[in-house]
Amino acid sequence: NDPNHSERANLPRNMIENSMFEEEPDVVDLAKDSAFPTLDPDEVVYEPRSSRLLVRGLGENDMDDDEEDSESSARLLGMSFMNRSAAHRAGSSPYARQAPPSSCSRPSTRTTVVCVLFLVIVVSMSMVLYFLPGCTFTRVRGPLPAVLSSAHLPVYPNSTTGEPFPWAELRLPASVRPVHYDLTVNPDLDAMTFTGRTVISMAVLHATKRIVLHAADLTVTKATFQARVVTLLEYKPHQQVAVRFPEELKQGQRCVLTLDYHASLSSTYDGFYNSSYADKDGKKRVLAATQFEPLYARKAFPCFDEPAFKATFLVRISRRDGYVALSNMPKAKTTNITGGLLLDEFEKSSVNMSTYLVAFVVATFQSVSKNVSDTLVSVYSVPEKKDHTIYALDTACKLLQFYNSYFDIAYPLKKLDLVAIPDFLAGAMENWGLITFRETSLLVNNQSSPLQKQLIASVVAHELAHQWFGNLVTMSWWNDLWLNEGFATYMQYMSLQHEYPLLDIGNHFLTVRFRALDKDALNSSHAVSARADTPEQVAEMFDSVSYEKGASILLMLNASLSGDLFRKGIVGYLKKFSGSNTVTDDLWNSIAQQHPNIPGMMNTWTQQKGFPLVSVSRDGDLVTLTQEPFLLSTDATESAPSRWHIPVTYVTAGCSLTPDCVQVFTLENRNATLKLSKDVKWLKLNFQSTGFYMVDYGTAGWAALIEALTENCTVLPREDRASLIHNMFALSRLGRVSFRQVLNLLAYVVNETEAAPVSEALAQLNTLHLQLEKRNELDLAAHLKSYILERFEALMMNQTWGEEPCVSKQELREALLQTACALDVPDCLQKASDLYRQYANGSARVPGDLQRVVFSVAARSEDGWAELMQTYAQSSDDAQKRKILQALASTRDTRHIARILIEGLRGELVQTTELPLIISAVSGGFAGSLLAWDFTQQNWDALIKKFPVGSFAIQSIIMSTTSHFSTQTHLDQVRNFLGSLKKRGSQMRSVQVAVETIMLNQRWMDANLPDLRHWL
Ligand SMILES: [Zn+2]
């Protein structure tokens, strides 16, 4: 899955959180889910090969077995462990934050240990007395119930009919496994409903008296088991249905459950949902498509909706003549059925698939196709945009060949469809053989700029990589989502660097790593392999840690291994686990075949949150390196100091530009020393910023580097210059260096001409500028503006406004001109207005990278805004439409801001999928920031109806509306509002991230405002 890729690509600079400081616990609803742990002697929760990882893979978030068991036992006896567990796990799990002050103060460690021991004894004895004989109980995965006041609660919840539902866990039992699904769906695009029949063949793994599976919002009209009608029980809070049997099903038995049902097509963007678009004559065309990842297959058909329950699928879809139906596999046959409809039957899947990868589309689409390596590759779109599919088709073919060869495993299906869906929330979704995309992530026209092509190629590369990482080999559970997303993200950059060097994806990947570091520096971050139990927690795994940090640590690993070892390791992993499910350890153990130290090293990066800061000090010819966690907020409950096995690289004055110059060693302990001749003026660690750590060179070390850069900035590669700027700002947030030192470093940028360092410096300075404006420090904001212009105006003036084929030059001028016009540089405003006038009268095009800046200037005037609104409504160029939308949202006219926000929510003129983009653009402006925050508060319920709690869209909305705040008033407002949401969002990790970010901004402002007044 690629959540909102295109938005990320356009917006990282607006989504930076500046940060610093200490944690303050926010109160959340710990009683969110009081599912009672079930007692069941004959069943265990299905945990294929992952149970150890659930324990080990959690790093500091984790409890050991004893603790966990005692906690479960205590719950059985109705004791509250809330306080204890909060003290142990604060800041790790969204459910395990500090208890509200009223519930009592935190016990000392010794008290806790004594209490725990005492409780373990009491609990163990009570268990024996109470539950003998046969008292085993399953490991509890749900969030902690608040207080269970008696041991006499029912073991099972009630189903909708009032009968007990035979299962109380969120995860399904392991007793029965699906083998094959025979699936028929009949969508009615007029009534917006569908009927379905699902025939599930199953194998009984352990003797049991029940079958439990998932179903959500489906009305089951008939259930038959082995051809006998049976009663189906439903427990809606867990989206589960079940059949109970008077006699045990025997181990090894095969059986068949058939369910007939009907439902409405979903009006949100998940499950089997309806969508529409206007064709070239303005006529409304309706279509239906699916989005099942992570937990929505259950909304389209009853199923064992967990990634480890893989099975084969045979899909049939009915449709009207003139429509095409698509599914994962090629079409096998079409038959006429009643009502003048056609029934398409697709081949039985040749591979075992997880339910979240099943997909179908029914629409009036057209396609272009090409055969490559025995696979028919097709790109589908609405007929009007068929011409915009060629680039995606060529790219998909080229990358398919690349992956076939790189992974040494041929893509296993006979066809691969890439489909542009007019109304699609995520950037794209990797359904096996039927990848779905936003139109803006797949379609480009001939005139599209290289940057737009870079975006398309990178989304296609990401989704194609998933056909191996995710589809062929799948994580056992969502806690290891990074095995899918970190890999696909890394492969997307790696494959493009290899196959499309001219697209110059390197700067983009570098920025992505910087932002991943910024997020992971927060106390509210989490380990790469993290706990994910509830649907909201699963949704929140689709975040920067799983994607960008995952990709960053894979880059670090690859960069630290010589030759082809990384590739050999992952090929071994893919071959060994082809068709099955894995946990993180499986990956490291496979790569360990190439290098035995890998698991030890990589576990330090996946099992604990955060990353190290390496400090450098020189004394004569000795250089001492010291590692410590880079934590902006300290967590008092953190016990053992974190250590990482860091593959440190460095270059020195004299040889600093090529890989031959790079020295490598692993820093495993807190300190290490190396020898360096006194004559060597400086050293720079983390060559090209391939390592996931930051570096502080100390006063003398920084001074030497700054002197070298001032003399000649090309003594270091562009990535290293950018990372020095990034690290310096981060150290300022940490309180390690004064802002004076940041300014000392930035003095060199007057000579800088490369996109990576310039855009990093501007991103940081613009963020600061926005924060100053938002706290009404207008004098200081004006001074900072003068400072930015002093440093960059010459380079800004140098930029061209015509077509530019070179990607990095596009990136450079995009960053510079956007800042220039935002800061009202007259020359920029004039040129943008001129170009817009030529565009409006049809005499010129606006290059893709300049569209946002040109349209934003145009949108400042009343007429310009109205004109752009009209262009937006009529245009079919999706990439340009997004730029127009950002421009419309960046207006300084509050009436217009209100209008565009409302249009985004209404979802007619502007698709609701664009609302996070609109809110982000509005929040990035001085006039709109408070409006965006007010709008979010006022429309919260409408927002979470459209975008699920925890989803990337909601994460993005929270962060873009709050991350520039830095005052106590704003902090109180944000905390009060998000805290008041309770089940409607308070438990989200992004709430912690938002609060922590504002506190860090506030701390930084308190510490630096007096000096800023002095220096700027
Ligand atoms: Zn993905």
Side-chain angles (χ1 to χ4, degrees):
N1 194 359
D2 191 354
N4 252 332
H5 183 283
S6 38
E7 184 187 334
R8 286 174 172 216
N10 293 334
L11 288 178
R13 280 153 207 158
N14 294 341
M15 289 159 75
I16 303 156
E17 302 93 53
N18 263 358
S19 339
M20 337 234 14
F21 38 123
E22 76 272 309
E23 188 204 32
E24 195 164 314
D26 46 327
V27 176
V28 294
D29 182 12
L30 285 159
K32 180 173 178 298
D33 187 330
S34 55
F36 197 74
T38 178
L39 287 171
D40 194 329
D42 64 351
E43 299 208 7
V44 288
V45 173
Y46 191 51
E47 254 185 80
R49 309 172 353 87
S50 69
S51 58
R52 296 312 303 164
L53 186 91
L54 279 172
V55 175
R56 258 183 298 135
L58 293 171
E60 70 224 353
N61 304 357
D62 197 19
M63 295 180 281
D64 60 37
D65 281 354
D66 290 344
E67 269 182 329
E68 190 168 21
D69 286 354
S70 68
E71 188 151 301
S72 310
S73 317
R75 236 175 304 175
L76 291 170
L77 288 179
M79 295 172 184
S80 169
F81 264 70
M82 221 166 71
N83 207 36
R84 183 194 74 91
S85 80
H88 271 236
R89 304 191 294 168
S92 52
S93 154
Y95 292 94
R97 277 167 279 171
Q98 280 169 259
S102 59
S103 65
C104 72
S105 61
R106 189 186 299 165
S108 71
T109 311
R110 188 200 274 172
T111 315
T112 308
V113 169
V114 171
C115 285
V116 170
L117 283 174
F118 175 68
L119 283 170
V120 167
I121 293 164
V122 170
V123 161
S124 309
M125 291 175 63
S126 313
M127 287 282 299
V128 170
L129 293 174
Y130 190 33
F131 291 114
L132 266 177
C135 65
T136 57
F137 54 86
T138 52
R139 183 164 284 159
V140 177
R141 294 150 183 282
L144 301 181
V147 178
L148 299 174
S149 55
S150 109
H152 301 291
L153 288 175
V155 171
Y156 295 127
N158 279 340
S159 60
T160 40
T161 55
E163 261 184 87
F165 188 81
W167 189 246
E169 302 278 331
L170 280 165
R171 296 282 296 275
L172 299 179
S175 45
V176 175
R177 173 178 89 75
V179 177
H180 176 72
Y181 291 84
D182 194 312
L183 193 61
T184 307
V185 286
N186 309 293
D188 180 338
L189 298 184
D190 296 326
M192 295 296 179
T193 57
F194 67 102
T195 62
R197 161 173 281 202
T198 299
V199 183
I200 313 173
S201 310
M202 295 162 289
V204 178
L205 302 178
H206 309 287
T208 181
K209 287 187 174 178
R210 67 188 149 210
I211 293 175
V212 186
L213 63 161
H214 290 109
D217 307 334
L218 303 177
T219 307
V220 177
T221 49
K222 191 178 172 193
T224 56
F225 181 75
Q226 308 289 60
R228 277 205 329 268
V229 174
V230 290
T231 305
L232 193 74
L233 301 167
E234 180 170 17
Y235 182 53
K236 285 188 173 168
H238 287 178
Q239 304 184 327
Q240 289 170 352
V241 291
V243 183
R244 287 166 82 128
F245 304 98
E247 303 289 325
E248 276 193 339
L249 304 173
K250 298 283 175 290
Q251 186 175 346
Q253 189 182 332
R254 291 288 175 126
C255 49
V256 177
L257 178 67
T258 303
L259 299 168
D260 291 286
Y261 57 95
H262 62 81
S264 294
L265 287 171
S266 167
S267 55
T268 54
Y269 302 103
D270 49 44
F272 192 18
Y273 73 93
N274 74 73
S275 165
S276 65
Y277 69 97
D279 69 11
K280 59 180 186 306
D281 305 321
K283 197 176 154 210
K284 186 177 171 183
R285 297 276 180 174
V286 185
L287 63 111
T290 57
Q291 167 63 39
F292 290 164
E293 192 184 25
L295 309 176
Y296 307 120
R298 63 191 68 170
K299 288 177 79 175
F301 61 99
C303 56
F304 294 77
D305 200 8
E306 296 186 5
F309 283 116
K310 290 189 171 185
T312 53
F313 288 83
L314 188 149
V315 176
R316 288 181 209 88
I317 303 171
S318 66
R319 62 176 168 89
R320 257 188 289 179
D321 196 19
Y323 277 76
V324 287
L326 301 169
S327 186
N328 307 79
M329 298 296 292
K331 191 158 70 177
K333 62 178 181 194
T334 301
T335 48
N336 288 306
I337 54 169
T338 52
L341 296 175
L342 300 165
L343 183 70
D344 288 335
E345 180 175 315
F346 299 87
E347 289 175 18
K348 178 182 166 184
S349 65
S350 51
V351 286
N352 272 322
M353 291 178 10
S354 302
T355 44
Y356 78 90
L357 293 169
V358 176
F360 20 94
V361 173
V362 181
T364 51
F365 287 167
Q366 292 183 1
S367 65
V368 294
S369 302
K370 219 183 199 179
N371 249 307
V372 56
S373 320
D374 297 329
T375 301
L376 180 68
V377 181
S378 308
V379 181
Y380 284 84
S381 71
V382 301
E384 290 78 6
K385 293 175 182 170
K386 199 176 161 186
D387 293 346
H388 300 185
T389 54
I390 304 300
Y391 183 76
L393 181 66
D394 291 343
T395 310
C397 290
K398 189 166 176 177
L399 290 169
L400 187 68
Q401 284 173 304
F402 170 78
Y403 287 137
N404 276 337
S405 135
Y406 187 87
F407 295 136
D408 196 26
I409 300 172
Y411 171 75
L413 307 185
K414 284 186 281 184
K415 67 100 172 168
L416 174 64
D417 297 332
L418 297 87
V419 186
I421 310 268
D423 203 9
F424 191 79
L425 181 58
M429 175 63 211
E430 69 266 20
N431 317 298
W432 217 340
L434 181 62
I435 309 177
T436 44
F437 294 80
R438 264 187 189 212
E439 289 187 333
T440 44
S441 306
L442 191 66
L443 306 179
V444 282
N445 58 33
N446 305 336
Q447 298 172 320
S448 296
S449 70
L451 262 181
Q452 285 165 333
K453 290 181 175 162
Q454 187 199 62
L455 171 71
I456 305 305
S458 102
V459 182
V460 170
H462 179 104
E463 304 308 330
L464 278 185
H466 270 313
Q467 307 300 306
W468 287 263
F469 278 100
N471 300 10
L472 193 62
V473 179
T474 314
M475 76 264 138
S476 288
W477 181 246
W478 303 103
N479 66 316
D480 274 326
L481 179 66
W482 88 277
L483 285 174
N484 276 15
E485 299 302 349
F487 251 106
T489 306
Y490 178 54
M491 290 310 301
Q492 106 190 36
Y493 297 117
M494 202 254 258
S495 63
L496 288 197
Q497 271 164 344
H498 200 273
E499 293 295 293
Y500 290 91
L502 288 180
L503 289 181
D504 203 357
I505 195 75
N507 285 343
H508 184 66
F509 190 19
L510 186 67
T511 307
V512 158
R513 301 202 294 278
F514 291 157
R515 301 295 80 87
L517 285 162
D518 295 344
K519 291 226 167 111
D520 203 28
L522 298 175
N523 196 34
S524 45
S525 186
H526 61 90
V528 169
S529 287
R531 188 168 181 150
D533 301 320
T534 65
E536 292 81 10
Q537 288 172 327
V538 169
E540 285 202 299
M541 289 306 288
F542 292 80
D543 70 356
S544 125
V545 171
S546 295
Y547 284 76
E548 281 87 24
K549 183 180 181 181
S552 305
I553 63 174
L554 291 168
L555 168 71
M556 177 167 68
L557 175 61
N558 194 1
S560 67
L561 289 172
S562 55
D564 212 14
L565 292 184
F566 177 79
R567 191 183 78 88
K568 284 183 180 154
I570 61 171
V571 168
Y573 165 80
L574 288 172
K575 288 191 169 166
K576 181 170 178 190
F577 297 104
S578 178
S580 60
N581 296 79
T582 56
V583 297
T584 298
D585 279 355
D586 295 325
L587 174 67
W588 302 146
N589 292 336
S590 295
I591 302 181
Q593 305 294 315
Q594 311 299 324
H595 198 300
N597 294 346
I598 297 306
M601 169 177 144
M602 293 313 290
N603 281 333
T604 68
W605 296 93
T606 51
Q607 294 184 359
Q608 56 188 349
K609 70 181 175 188
F611 58 87
L613 169 67
V614 176
S615 303
V616 183
S617 65
R618 281 182 81 171
D619 186 8
D621 58 358
L622 269 191
V623 178
T624 305
L625 304 184
T626 309
Q627 67 157 305
E628 66 195 285
F630 186 104
L631 255 191
L632 292 170
S633 326
T634 47
D635 182 343
T637 63
E638 214 81 45
S639 48
S642 309
R643 291 262 197 286
W644 287 263
H645 291 194
I646 314 169
V648 171
T649 52
Y650 66 93
V651 292
T652 57
C655 184
S656 54
L657 290 168
T658 62
D660 313 336
C661 301
V662 181
Q663 307 286 320
V664 188
F665 74 98
T666 306
L667 177 61
E668 293 183 8
N669 301 322
R670 187 170 144 72
N671 299 301
T673 52
L674 53 102
K675 287 214 161 185
L676 196 64
S677 160
K678 268 187 262 184
D679 306 333
V680 176
K681 283 192 177 155
W682 51 264
L683 80 166
K684 160 78 180 58
L685 271 64
N686 201 2
F687 181 66
Q688 295 188 325
S689 203
T690 55
F692 199 71
Y693 57 95
M694 292 209 220
V695 187
D696 182 4
Y697 297 91
T699 314
W702 278 111
L705 280 163
I706 291 168
E707 195 189 321
L709 286 174
T710 311
E711 213 165 275
N712 172 15
C713 70
T714 61
V715 292
L716 282 169
R718 62 187 191 184
E719 296 88 346
D720 289 289
R721 277 132 58 195
S723 87
L724 286 176
I725 293 170
H726 174 258
N727 282 204
M728 184 64 105
F729 272 97
L731 290 171
S732 161
R733 271 176 237 133
L734 189 61
R736 277 284 188 114
V737 302
S738 70
F739 199 67
R740 177 81 256 166
Q741 256 191 291
V742 178
L743 298 178
N744 286 347
L745 173 63
L746 289 183
Y748 104 89
V749 298
V750 285
N751 297 319
E752 187 58 83
T753 55
E754 280 284 348
V758 168
S759 53
E760 182 56 25
L762 285 176
Q764 300 280 0
L765 292 168
N766 286 336
T767 302
L768 180 55
H769 186 257
L770 203 51
Q771 285 182 15
L772 290 172
E773 275 190 337
K774 286 192 184 180
R775 57 184 291 142
N776 241 0
E777 293 281 355
L778 299 182
D779 280 356
L780 267 183
H783 283 129
L784 183 59
K785 172 185 160 180
S786 318
Y787 174 85
I788 295 172
L789 294 182
E790 237 170 70
R791 291 284 171 287
F792 295 98
E793 199 164 14
L795 197 54
M796 286 167 174
M797 295 303 179
N798 257 338
Q799 300 308 304
T800 58
W801 290 73
E803 295 292 344
E804 169 58 65
C806 169
V807 169
S808 67
K809 284 188 180 155
Q810 280 199 341
E811 289 168 335
L812 178 68
R813 75 177 183 183
E814 187 180 29
L816 285 164
L817 296 177
Q818 214 154 286
T819 304
C821 281
L823 297 180
D824 299 328
V825 173
D827 183 67
C828 185
L829 296 178
Q830 188 60 51
K831 284 186 170 136
S833 305
D834 291 350
L835 188 51
Y836 179 73
R837 256 197 304 280
Q838 292 169 31
Y839 162 82
N841 67 28
S843 64
R845 266 180 38 79
V846 183
D849 57 311
L850 297 181
Q851 284 172 358
R852 186 168 175 193
V853 61
V854 168
F855 296 147
S856 294
V857 171
R860 289 187 186 191
S861 75
E862 184 76 30
D863 291 348
W865 200 87
E867 199 171 271
L868 278 168
M869 197 70 185
Q870 198 150 21
T871 313
Y872 181 85
Q874 290 161 357
S875 170
S876 65
D877 178 343
D878 294 292
Q880 178 175 298
K881 282 180 84 165
R882 289 203 112 195
K883 304 288 183 186
I884 294 177
L885 204 51
Q886 288 175 306
L888 290 168
S890 68
T891 170
R892 296 172 186 186
D893 184 324
T894 50
R895 288 169 307 127
H896 288 153
I897 292 173
R899 163 101 195 272
I900 198 76
L901 286 168
I902 288 164
E903 289 293 352
L905 193 62
R906 191 177 288 152
E908 285 163 19
L909 182 59
V910 178
Q911 283 169 351
T912 300
T913 50
E914 300 289 26
L915 192 52
L917 182 83
I918 295 174
I919 291 178
S920 174
V922 169
S923 304
F926 177 46
S929 61
L930 291 178
L931 272 176
W933 171 234
D934 287 346
F935 173 85
T936 301
Q937 295 176 79
Q938 280 160 18
N939 296 288
W940 185 258
D941 287 332
L943 291 173
I944 58 172
K945 241 186 205 165
K946 287 290 172 192
F947 315 115
V949 169
S951 62
F952 179 75
I954 289 290
Q955 293 175 37
S956 155
I957 289 170
I958 292 180
M959 286 321 292
S960 58
T961 49
T962 63
S963 68
H964 296 112
F965 289 150
S966 64
T967 63
Q968 187 63 40
T969 315
H970 284 143
L971 176 63
D972 293 342
Q973 274 179 18
V974 169
R975 191 186 268 152
N976 289 341
F977 173 72
L978 296 175
S980 74
L981 296 173
K982 300 284 160 61
K983 282 188 179 180
R984 288 142 56 230
S986 290
Q987 75 278 26
M988 285 187 291
R989 183 180 277 116
S990 25
V991 172
Q992 292 172 282
V993 174
V995 168
E996 188 182 358
T997 301
I998 301 171
M999 291 170 70
L1000 289 166
N1001 292 344
Q1002 188 184 18
R1003 186 180 77 178
W1004 190 91
M1005 285 292 173
D1006 288 348
N1008 288 280
L1009 273 182
D1011 288 340
L1012 281 180
R1013 293 202 170 90
H1014 185 64
W1015 292 325
L1016 284 176

